[in-house]
Amino acid sequence: VMPDYVAWGHYKNIATILSSGKFAPVFITGLSGNGKTTMIEQACAKSKRDCFRVNITQETDEDDLIGGFRLIKGETAFVYGPVVEAMKRGAVLLLDEIDLGSSKIMCLQPVLEGKGVFIKKTGEWVKPAPGFTIFATANTKGKGSDDGRFVGTGIMNEAMLDRFPVTLEQPYATRATERKILTKAGCDDASFADHLTQWSEIIRKSFYEGAVDEIISTRRLVDIVNAWKIFGEKEKALAMCLARFDDDTKEAFLSLYGKVDADANMNDSDSLEDADGVATITDTDCPF
């Protein structure tokens, strides 16, 4: 349990599903960094439910999920994979970033039906224990990413998608909720938390309207607060956490923050220099 966790979004729905004890696969979709995975983990922790998290990649296959033969103390033995372990223990199976998987994860079809799974390598049939259920997270709805934002995601098999009876769309948190999140993350400066959430809200609105190609996630806001706690400088924390964007976007976002927070000096090259002493910010007008 994370003592500083702020429950929001679909947390109550997740908790309700867990408390029901029923098998109900749920597909949770939403943009990156909006708390999908943490929400599931914390709902499980709060309800004292075992949770097996599997990060899906294009290379994930039946051997990774169901199990396979491993070399143990010089001998070959079959070892159950996380899917079978979760089934046998009546635990929660969290398939993280499921839209990154290939056709190799189609071995999960019978598991998603709640019927159990036949382990071909051992001839064993494993049925799920009471309480077993599945949550899957994804940045897309299983239809791929046309804009290239989520490289590696593909079009998921419709038969697999159809085996998730419930789909939850997770948006970014409201300003009020994000202020709580930042406060819990250690931001004891109320005005800084307020300015950060106002700034990110403007950027997101511009993103949804197609005015900008990048977005500020809740995760990045927390990163900024953490950097501020380390370096003690708001401007430096912002510059360092925005350095992942291209120069034009970075400068525009910094300029915008300077307009939101009148006390911030976003054009001070000395406070915004990187580790090599190279200034990363120039005076630029915000395009929003």
Side-chain angles (χ1 to χ4, degrees):
V1 175
M2 293 169 54
D4 58 352
Y5 178 71
V6 177
W8 67 279
H10 290 291
Y11 180 88
K12 289 185 177 179
N13 291 326
I14 301 299
T16 299
I17 292 171
L18 291 175
S19 64
S20 73
K22 296 184 179 299
F23 178 75
V26 179
F27 189 96
I28 304 174
T29 179
L31 292 177
S32 178
N34 69 2
K36 299 183 296 295
T37 301
T38 302
M39 173 179 65
I40 298 168
E41 291 177 338
Q42 287 307 296
C44 289
K46 187 72 173 178
S47 60
K48 302 186 186 303
R49 294 290 305 278
D50 287 337
C51 178
F52 285 76
R53 174 180 172 180
V54 183
N55 287 80
I56 304 297
T57 72
Q58 290 183 336
E59 301 302 320
T60 302
D61 58 17
E62 185 171 349
D63 191 79
D64 299 318
L65 298 168
I66 306 301
F69 288 99
R70 309 284 187 263
L71 187 62
I72 301 177
K73 295 181 179 180
E75 296 184 358
T76 302
F78 185 86
V79 177
Y80 293 130
V83 173
V84 175
E85 287 286 359
M87 291 173 63
K88 292 170 73 70
R89 291 169 58 169
V92 174
L93 176 64
L94 170 52
L95 302 171
D96 209 20
E97 310 287 5
I98 193 173
D99 53 350
L100 286 175
S102 67
S103 59
K104 298 174 185 177
I105 67 172
M106 291 297 287
C107 61
L108 295 175
Q109 291 284 68
V111 179
L112 287 166
E113 295 172 357
K115 297 178 179 178
V117 64
F118 178 69
I119 303 177
K120 298 188 290 290
K121 295 178 181 179
T122 64
E124 180 183 5
W125 176 260
V126 179
K127 290 185 177 181
F132 172 71
T133 195
I134 302 172
F135 292 98
T137 66
N139 293 131
T140 72
K141 291 186 178 181
K143 302 299 182 182
S145 175
D146 293 334
D147 59 8
R149 179 170 298 276
F150 302 109
V151 175
T153 58
I155 299 176
M156 293 180 61
N157 188 286
E158 186 63 29
M160 172 168 279
L161 288 172
D162 197 49
R163 282 167 169 76
F164 287 94
V166 176
T167 296
L168 301 176
E169 294 187 66
Q170 179 90 329
Y172 283 109
T174 63
R175 278 191 65 192
T177 298
E178 283 195 325
R179 279 196 295 267
K180 290 181 182 178
I181 292 172
L182 297 184
T183 299
K184 289 280 190 178
C187 185
D188 53 8
D189 185 330
S191 65
F192 189 35
D194 192 59
H195 289 141
L196 283 174
T197 54
Q198 181 184 1
W199 170 70
S200 64
E201 184 178 63
I202 295 171
I203 291 174
R204 289 171 194 168
K205 185 174 184 291
S206 300
F207 175 81
Y208 295 136
E209 292 176 350
V212 294
D213 296 326
E214 301 290 353
I215 199 166
I216 298 297
S217 67
T218 304
R219 180 190 293 130
R220 192 152 299 277
L221 291 180
V222 174
D223 290 340
I224 292 170
V225 169
N226 288 333
W228 170 58
K229 289 192 298 182
I230 293 172
F231 297 100
E233 299 177 31
K234 298 175 184 178
E235 294 83 358
K236 186 171 185 176
L238 280 156
M240 295 178 76
C241 291
L242 294 178
R244 66 167 292 271
F245 299 118
D246 63 77
D247 289 343
D248 289 340
T249 300
K250 176 183 62 180
E251 292 168 6
F253 283 1
L254 285 167
S255 178
L256 175 61
Y257 184 82
K259 296 178 186 299
V260 170
D261 184 353
D263 294 329
N265 186 6
M266 304 314 297
N267 295 318
D268 182 353
S269 60
D270 290 333
S271 65
L272 297 178
E273 287 181 349
D274 61 21
D276 295 323
V278 180
T280 57
I281 306 301
T282 58
D283 188 12
T284 182
D285 292 329
C286 175
F288 309 118

